Amino acid sequence: MKYVYELHKTMIANNLILVYEGEFTQDITKSILAMAERNMDAIGELGGVKRKVFSVMVECLQNIVKHSEELNEKDEDGLKNNAIFMLGKQINEYIVTSGNPIRNAAIPSVQAKIERVNSLDKDGLKDLYKEIIKNTEISDKGGAGLGFVDMARKSGEKLGYSFEPINDEYSFFALKIIVPRSE
């Protein structure tokens, strides 16, 4: 039972106010958003900040629901097809973090989209957003990179990311977005 206390201390040390690990569905996404809303309402968060955080959260959660790969067998650490979502609150910012398995073959495309987004300033992001909307046929799964552009525009910050190998076929994609607490 000591792990419960250790987890609690880790959450406090990292200022985590919401953590969910497991299967992600549209219903679970709605529940996560409702919990975050109650938490932000309880501390009296400003409306504009709350809208930006929600927008980023929705994009992260949709990425997990639409793009997370299901692993058929557990890896050496016992991970299966689970993803994770975390919301942290610092004095001056919220930190939205997500992680999910993706195919190794998808890494170059995902990395290129994020690097392109991170290379642009505010006006460049606005132009890229318009370009994607105008020139790209977006499938039900998305995939055009619009979510990354939208998260960068809402947060005003660069997107943090990493890929941790799971096995020869999959890696764990982690995404971190910082949303300033000032409007």
Side-chain angles (χ1 to χ4, degrees):
M1 296 301 277
K2 184 177 179 180
Y3 74 92
V4 174
Y5 181 55
E6 293 300 321
L7 179 59
H8 176 69
K9 288 193 314 187
T10 299
M11 288 183 68
I12 289 171
N14 290 289
N15 297 303
L16 296 173
I17 57 175
L18 178 65
V19 176
Y20 176 80
E21 191 273 340
E23 178 186 16
F24 281 77
T25 64
Q26 290 298 342
D27 287 338
I28 290 170
T29 296
K30 288 177 190 174
S31 297
I32 291 169
L33 292 169
M35 284 187 283
E37 181 177 28
R38 281 192 295 274
N39 191 298
M40 285 191 270
D41 285 345
I43 63 167
E45 191 58 75
L46 299 172
V49 173
K50 199 161 62 167
R51 280 189 294 280
K52 288 177 185 176
V53 171
F54 264 68
S55 179
V56 169
M57 286 178 61
V58 166
E59 289 296 338
C60 275
L61 292 165
Q62 284 180 345
N63 277 347
I64 292 171
V65 170
K66 292 178 181 178
H67 300 293
S68 186
E69 291 289 340
E70 295 210 11
L71 305 181
N72 293 325
E73 74 279 343
K74 291 183 180 181
D75 70 3
E76 65 220 27
D77 295 323
L79 298 173
K80 195 168 181 213
N81 61 346
N82 291 340
I84 189 165
F85 177 85
M86 297 180 287
L87 177 63
K89 182 178 73 72
Q90 305 283 339
I91 293 170
N92 298 318
E93 62 197 16
Y94 282 94
I95 301 167
V96 180
T97 310
S98 65
N100 58 274
I102 66 167
R103 291 189 182 279
N104 291 334
I107 291 175
S109 172
V110 172
Q111 187 167 8
K113 288 173 186 170
I114 294 173
E115 287 299 325
R116 182 173 185 201
V117 165
N118 282 346
S119 73
L120 299 173
D121 62 8
K122 185 177 180 179
D123 290 334
L125 288 170
K126 184 178 179 181
D127 292 343
L128 179 57
Y129 187 88
K130 289 178 184 176
E131 177 188 319
I132 292 171
I133 292 289
K134 182 179 174 186
N135 298 326
T136 307
E137 188 173 316
I138 300 172
S139 71
D140 290 342
K141 258 192 137 178
L146 196 59
F148 294 140
V149 176
D150 202 35
M151 286 186 272
R153 289 182 69 200
K154 294 289 192 283
S155 71
E157 303 287 332
K158 303 295 182 201
L159 306 179
Y161 69 96
S162 69
F163 301 96
E164 297 298 326
I166 295 172
N167 58 34
D168 290 343
E169 193 175 350
Y170 298 98
S171 288
F172 194 79
F173 169 51
L175 181 63
K176 175 180 168 183
I177 303 96
I178 294 171
V179 181
R181 288 187 70 199
S182 58
E183 290 190 79

